[in-house]
Amino acid sequence: MFNFYETFDIWYTLKMQAVDLVSAVTEWHAISSQDLSMLIRDAENGNIRWTKINGSSFVINVESLARYLAMHLITKLLSPKRDEHHLRYILGGIRLLHTLCDLAPRHSRLEQVLHDDVNVSEQIIDLIFYTVILVSGLRQKVPASRSMELLQSALLASSFYLLLASISSKWHELTHVLLAHPKVDAFTSVAFPALRASVYYLQVKLSDRHTGTHVLPNVDEVRQLCQHCEAALQFLLSLCQQKLFRERLVMNKDLCEEGGALLLVQDIMKLPPCNDSHIMAAVSRIKSKVLSMMLHLCETEVERGSFLDLAATTNGGLDLAKSVVFQVLEVLRIMFSGDRSGPFIGHPRGLLQLNAMRLTEIFSDDSNFRSYIVFNFIEVLTTVFLLPHEEFLSSWCSSAHEPCEEDVVMEYDSLSASGQALGVLPTSHVVQSAARNRRAPQAPYARQKTSLLVKVIANLTCFLPDICKGE
């Protein structure tokens, strides 16, 4: 991915030019886009002069800042330090770089360096790849404190969204650039375990709130973790919606045969409920999004075979996939139980139920999992058919105007979210602005639900001699 000697040569040139990037990151990561834009606009000959609180000052050239910041942060990432101060500095640097990318269309000097210079664009991609690698390994190496958990989760989401700011906000264009990168497979291999680390922190927080056996964590912290997790997952889901990218994922041995993708699904589906409506709605959306991503993967075939065939090539992979199927069926069992106090009742489902049924339909038609579905779907069917007559009619046979299920797309404000994680923005500001929800077009709900149930039953009652031996 990166040549050490090239890194050293550029770093040596940077040192010779005396570009004080440490002061720039330390002083400017917290200022707003508007204030930084004014500094760039008023710079004399492209040089910004800044006076620190202690009275000392430094001068930095705008073009040098844009040209060398990514390289500077990569050098910091290569440091063996893994403490909170180190993470805060990296996140602050990425936040500053993101701000510069956002301002580039308004300042020709920035645009020339950040958007037109291929070398700088490649350095930014390398920075993001290295950052994701860092985050993926922190859970095993560094005991996470409350602040470290938020920093790591914010760092992952901010790194993903820096790709949109620096390369392109159009997913098909971003996909083309990523697939052309020689280390894209290494990136995707670490992106999933990196997100699993954030999900793990969220799982611990929710378990504490659910069981009451520990001191209750700050609700705002849990909400922020939800935002970072949902934003990072939505980024990966958006990439999976691009046909070429998900085909590349299916060809990745770490994600298919080794179970990397399924482990992420399993971890997210294990997230427990809680009594906070905002958090519960976010958890439902996160589960819905990861099932949607799995649907895209399950519907993808490459020369080596389908995602499910590749995942089931080993006993461990097959068992992991069955564990995920069981969690999907558990969602349906709870939703079909009619229990008005269940964890999903009264909260936005984000198409969670429909996605669970779609996956069940796919698994029931797959030879690797058909028998497992037969033996484990009976309880779900029994729950459906034991509903009181009137309730069954209204739920599954109604000809009245169909209610609609709305999906929610998160509009993640990376600058606000990272600013809160760094303590430069108040929590209330982030809760309101870092993750605005946008309603996706409505889809008919009741008819889809009934149609999927009929398809699953049809799959399970279709006798195929080569598949149905022993059933």
Side-chain angles (χ1 to χ4, degrees):
M1 182 187 304
F2 207 77
N3 186 291
F4 174 80
Y5 295 103
E6 291 178 358
T7 304
F8 180 80
D9 288 342
I10 295 175
W11 178 243
Y12 178 78
T13 301
L14 186 154
K15 293 288 287 185
M16 291 295 290
Q17 293 180 345
V19 180
D20 191 357
L21 290 172
V22 173
S23 293
V25 172
T26 304
E27 294 289 320
W28 292 344
H29 76 272
I31 66 176
S32 66
S33 299
Q34 294 82 356
D35 290 341
L36 185 57
S37 182
M38 291 178 61
L39 287 176
I40 296 171
R41 184 193 63 192
D42 298 338
E44 297 181 5
N45 299 320
N47 296 317
I48 301 175
R49 181 177 297 276
W50 181 269
T51 302
K52 302 179 183 179
I53 297 177
N54 62 11
S56 63
S57 63
F58 67 94
V59 178
I60 192 166
N61 181 269
V62 173
E63 292 184 38
S64 296
L65 174 64
R67 188 175 303 281
Y68 297 119
L69 180 55
M71 181 62 63
H72 169 69
L73 294 174
I74 289 174
T75 306
K76 292 294 184 181
L77 279 171
L78 297 177
S79 165
K81 292 183 179 179
R82 294 294 183 267
D83 56 15
E84 181 178 337
H85 177 77
H86 180 252
L87 287 190
R88 290 179 63 85
Y89 187 87
I90 298 298
L91 180 57
I94 287 179
R95 187 172 191 265
L96 175 58
L97 184 56
H98 194 150
T99 303
L100 292 173
C101 290
D102 285 350
L103 294 177
R106 286 179 269 169
H107 300 278
S108 58
R109 289 177 175 175
L110 282 180
E111 188 166 36
Q112 185 176 7
V113 174
L114 292 172
H115 290 172
D116 298 338
D117 191 318
V118 176
N119 290 330
V120 174
S121 296
E122 290 179 351
Q123 291 165 18
I124 293 175
I125 295 176
D126 283 329
L127 166 65
I128 294 166
F129 284 12
Y130 269 117
T131 303
V132 177
I133 292 172
L134 169 71
V135 174
S136 69
L138 283 176
R139 176 181 162 187
Q140 290 77 23
K141 295 180 180 179
V142 181
S145 62
R146 286 167 51 185
S147 55
M148 287 281 281
E149 292 170 354
L150 285 174
L151 286 172
Q152 290 179 42
S153 299
L155 192 56
L156 178 64
S158 296
S159 299
F160 284 161
Y161 282 78
L162 178 58
L163 278 172
L164 295 171
S166 62
I167 305 302
S168 175
S169 59
K170 297 179 180 178
W171 290 102
H172 68 280
E173 293 180 357
L174 177 59
T175 298
H176 177 74
V177 172
L178 289 177
L179 292 179
H181 197 283
K183 294 298 181 180
V184 64
D185 294 321
F187 167 69
T188 53
S189 292
V190 296
F192 281 72
L195 180 51
R196 286 184 64 208
S198 296
V199 172
Y200 170 76
Y201 301 140
L202 178 58
Q203 189 177 70
V204 172
K205 297 280 189 185
L206 289 174
S207 297
D208 289 346
R209 290 186 59 80
H210 184 58
T211 62
T213 57
H214 302 284
V215 177
L216 292 181
N218 186 291
V219 173
D220 287 332
E221 290 180 2
V222 182
R223 291 184 182 181
Q224 291 164 48
L225 277 175
C226 284
Q227 290 172 2
H228 300 321
C229 287
E230 185 176 358
L233 175 60
Q234 185 170 279
F235 179 88
L236 294 178
L237 171 59
S238 297
L239 288 178
C240 286
Q241 290 170 343
Q242 307 298 312
K243 182 176 183 293
L244 292 177
F245 196 90
R246 65 174 176 266
E247 287 178 348
R248 190 63 170 261
L249 289 180
V250 171
M251 291 188 292
N252 188 313
K253 184 177 180 181
D254 290 335
L255 297 181
C256 291
E257 287 95 325
E258 301 299 326
L262 288 172
L263 285 170
L264 176 62
V265 179
Q266 182 184 61
D267 288 353
I268 288 178
M269 295 306 293
K270 285 182 179 178
L271 291 173
C274 72
N275 56 6
D276 183 278
S277 60
H278 294 284
I279 295 174
M280 192 59 217
V283 169
S284 296
R285 292 196 304 270
I286 291 171
K287 291 184 177 182
S288 174
K289 284 179 170 62
V290 82
L291 293 187
S292 179
M293 184 170 67
M294 189 171 176
L295 277 168
H296 284 296
L297 294 177
C298 288
E299 294 169 349
T300 302
E301 291 197 21
V302 295
E303 291 184 2
R304 296 169 56 217
S306 68
F307 172 78
L308 289 179
D309 287 338
L310 294 171
T313 53
T314 64
N315 290 334
L318 183 60
D319 290 341
L320 178 60
K322 288 180 178 178
S323 174
V324 170
V325 174
F326 181 82
Q327 291 170 317
V328 171
L329 295 179
E330 182 67 10
V331 168
L332 296 181
R333 185 191 65 78
I334 294 172
M335 287 187 168
F336 294 162
S337 67
D339 180 7
R340 300 306 175 187
S341 61
F344 303 108
I345 304 301
H347 298 297
R349 297 176 180 179
L351 296 179
L352 175 58
Q353 181 175 332
L354 286 182
N355 285 339
M357 293 192 70
R358 289 176 181 129
L359 271 177
T360 302
E361 193 272 327
I362 288 176
F363 279 109
S364 67
D365 195 37
D366 189 281
S367 59
N368 295 303
F369 303 97
R370 187 178 186 277
S371 296
Y372 187 81
I373 292 290
V374 168
F375 291 114
N376 289 277
F377 196 61
I378 294 174
E379 183 180 355
V380 177
L381 285 177
T382 303
T383 301
V384 171
F385 292 129
L386 286 181
L387 289 173
H389 183 65
E390 294 299 326
E391 188 173 341
F392 178 84
L393 290 178
S394 64
S395 297
W396 297 95
C397 308
S398 175
S399 60
H401 179 70
E402 293 181 343
C404 293
E405 180 78 353
E406 293 183 340
D407 203 0
V408 175
V409 179
M410 168 184 274
E411 295 182 349
Y412 184 70
D413 185 341
S414 176
L415 294 178
S416 294
S418 59
Q420 196 285 327
L422 291 166
V424 300
L425 289 176
T427 300
S428 58
H429 173 79
V430 176
V431 170
Q432 295 174 4
S433 67
R436 291 186 280 282
N437 294 325
R438 174 167 54 86
R439 296 289 180 182
Q442 293 184 345
Y445 175 59
R447 186 171 299 172
Q448 288 189 61
K449 184 179 71 169
T450 303
S451 174
L452 287 166
L453 182 66
V454 171
K455 287 180 179 179
V456 173
I457 296 174
N459 288 339
L460 298 181
T461 54
C462 178
F463 182 78
L464 300 174
D466 294 335
I467 298 176
C468 304
K469 294 177 181 179
E471 293 181 8

